[in-house]
Amino acid sequence: MVKVLMVCLGNICRSPLAEGILRKKLEEHGIEDNVIVDSAGTSNYHVGECPDTRSMRNALSHGVDISRLKARQFSVDDFDEFDHIYAMDTSNYGNVLMLARNERDKRKVQMILDVLYPGTNMSVPDPYFGGEQGFENVYVMLDKACDVIATMLKERYVV
Ligand code: 4NP
């Protein structure tokens, strides 16, 4: 079993979307029983809350139900629990790396859009203070990235 963690700031907008989208991709690839997906926020701002209504609505418009997810804060134990940790933006990336205890922890962390555009450190823009279109833009980016991640997971972990 391989474990993947999606990380943003609040764990109510981007990372729950990424979690839901990757789950859908895993089903499409027939590898949903081989991978565990979770998400977390670097902050504690929204711990225990459902995803943002706009995220839930956007996901549902694409056939992805994220309404049962609950926000939690990233913790150092997540380095032991997860094999791949995907950060949505450079700030999340820096905050997660600051908690890394060693090189092994650090190697698990990657900017999620680097799976599409290696080495560019592009961020998934924070849609929290914008309108619905921002959430759709995020969905489109994450959909592409999660396709690549699902393919990588299948090739690397499922024979
Ligand atoms: P997320 O979006 O990191 O994608 O979940 C945000 C959620 C909440 C806040 C900022 C971004 N906030 O400032 O409360």
Side-chain angles (χ1 to χ4, degrees), residues 8-16 45-46 88 92 126-129:
C8 63
L9 174 63
N11 192 207
I12 55 166
C13 296
R14 291 164 293 177
S15 61
Y45 303 159
H46 297 278
M88 298 297 129
N92 315 144
D126 182 352
Y128 187 65
F129 294 104

Side-chain angles (χ1 to χ4, degrees), residues 136-152:
E136 179 60 17
N137 293 345
V138 167
Y139 188 96
V140 170
M141 289 177 203
L142 292 177
D143 188 70
K144 289 188 193 141
C146 288
D147 235 348
V148 174
I149 292 169
T151 303
M152 177 279 288

